Every structure is written in structure tokens, then in C-alpha cells.
Amino acid sequence: MPTSQKPPEKMMFQLNLRRRGISDQAVLRAMEEIPRDQFVAAADRADAWRDSALGIACGQTISQPFVVAYMTEQLQLRRHHRVLEIGTGSGYQAAILSRLCRQVLTIERYRTLADSARARLEKLRCDNVEVMLGDGFDIPAGAGDFDRIIVTAAMEQIPDALAQRLEPEGVLIAPVGPHQGTQTLVRLVRTGGGFERKDLVDVRFVPALPGIAREL
């Protein structure tokens, strides 16, 4: 019998993230701890550890692992941070965030996705995540402000009302651009004089839409 075997998919998963430039050890640990195969459709579990986006319910997607890791790394999270995520989807990004900060509020417009994500997160004991069915363009005033905000669907522009929910020195990451086509991942930092914007990399996300979906 051969004495060597192909490395397990999870090992290749981590190696690929490192090769592509992810260096934050806390982010890499979180990516290793959270089982991505639990967030994809049963038919896609054989492909769960590949660096590719996969379809989920309601016409949405679970982002490719590199994009999840890159966006998370760009947030520069600390344990005391409170984070807002717009676009829960499968719940995978929220699960990663849960390992790196104090509290996550994640908002999803599709009830089916919100309910299934909540169940997954509870099963994995991501107890510091709250899943809310709601409109990502209309955050309830009672939700307060946030140290970090991450948007996981494409916005044609970042609403000022959303940027204003950042605490001082807070960071917002969002894909900005046309709904159909390529967007640019934007990093917005709230400073004493306003906001500093930095364009990062080109990405492709499903559109961020206002309101709560009437179906699904």
C-alpha cells in the first residue's frame, strides 16, 4: 500500500487560505473550527471545503471561504467588539464572527434562511449570535451602534444611515457596485472628521435588497 496519502480537504482548505494571504491567526483558527459542510446543502457537502461559492435556499449563496476570511480579517476584530452583519444567508459568516467578538447581530430578509441559520448556530453553540428577520436598509433604532459592520450582499452605495451606526473608529466592510456584475469591496472607517474609504478587491455578491421578503 502507498505510504503517503493526499492531505485531507480541511488541510488543503487552510493551506489555500494561507497561500492567498490570510495571515491573522485568530481568523484562521475560526475558519478551521467552524464546519463549513454544516452550512451547505446536503448535495454540496462533498464540495464544502473547496474555495468556491455555493448556492443555498432563496436564490442566495454561501461565499467562497477566501472571501469570508478576507472580509473578516479586514474588520480587525477584537474580543470586546459588537458586530452587525447584513445578510445572514446560511449563517456561516456569523459563525466565524462569533469566535472573534463579543456579540453578533445578523439580519436576514428571508424567513427560511433566518430560521435555518438560527438552528445551525444554536447547534454549534454560537450563543453570542442573534439572528433577526428584518430589513438591512432599516436597522431598528433599538439595536444601537456597532464597532464593526459587515455587509454580505452587494449595495449600489453605502447608505449614510448605515455608516452612522458605526461607533467612533468603527469599521464597515461592504461590496459596493452594480447588482449585476462586479463590485468593489470597500472598507469604511469612522474617524473624528468623518469617514475614510479604501477600495480593496473586486468581488461578486448577490444584490442587497430592501424590505423583508414576502415569500420564503
Side-chain angles (χ1 to χ4, degrees):
M1 295 180 62
T3 56
S4 62
Q5 296 180 348
K6 183 178 179 179
E9 286 188 340
K10 284 189 71 173
M11 185 181 296
M12 295 303 297
F13 176 85
Q14 283 285 314
L15 183 59
N16 183 63
L17 293 177
R18 293 173 185 271
R19 282 176 173 168
R20 296 198 63 182
I22 304 301
S23 59
D24 187 308
Q25 293 302 306
V27 172
L28 288 166
R29 279 196 303 272
M31 296 292 292
E32 183 175 17
E33 290 173 7
I34 298 299
R36 189 172 187 255
D37 57 340
Q38 299 301 304
F39 292 85
V40 303
D44 290 327
R45 283 182 183 159
D47 297 323
W49 298 104
R50 295 184 181 180
D51 193 26
S52 60
L54 295 168
I56 58 174
C58 306
Q60 306 300 294
T61 60
I62 177 174
S63 296
Q64 70 182 94
F66 170 72
V67 171
V68 172
Y70 181 79
M71 292 178 72
T72 304
E73 189 172 64
Q74 289 295 320
L75 286 173
Q76 298 181 336
L77 289 165
R78 299 294 179 264
R79 285 290 180 185
H80 66 276
H81 284 161
R82 183 167 183 257
V83 181
L84 170 66
E85 179 193 25
I86 296 176
T88 310
S90 68
Y92 181 63
Q93 176 72 78
I96 298 296
L97 296 172
S98 76
R99 297 295 192 259
L100 299 165
C101 66
R102 175 174 60 87
Q103 184 183 34
V104 180
L105 172 63
T106 179
I107 298 180
E108 175 55 56
R109 68 189 300 267
Y110 291 101
R111 184 179 299 277
T112 295
L113 292 179
D115 290 347
S116 59
R118 188 180 295 111
R120 289 189 192 99
L121 293 163
E122 288 176 356
K123 182 178 179 181
L124 291 172
R125 305 194 69 172
C126 298
D127 300 327
N128 58 341
V129 180
E130 177 186 355
V131 180
M132 177 186 294
L133 177 68
D135 181 355
F137 287 86
D138 186 19
I139 310 302
D145 294 335
F146 301 88
D147 301 294
R148 300 290 187 266
I149 297 175
I150 182 170
V151 182
T152 57
M155 291 182 157
E156 293 179 317
Q157 59 184 4
I158 298 172
D160 184 63
L162 181 61
Q164 293 296 331
R165 302 303 288 267
L166 281 175
E167 295 279 9
E169 306 303 320
V171 177
L172 182 152
I173 301 284
V176 178
H179 284 172
Q180 304 301 323
T182 302
Q183 302 97 31
T184 299
L185 201 60
V186 171
R187 186 175 191 265
L188 206 66
V189 179
R190 186 163 197 173
T191 67
F195 295 92
E196 291 182 357
R197 171 176 169 148
K198 182 179 181 180
D199 292 352
L200 300 174
V201 296
D202 289 342
V203 289
R204 291 180 69 95
F205 278 81
V206 297
L209 301 174
I212 298 173
R214 294 184 180 180
E215 299 178 354
L216 305 175

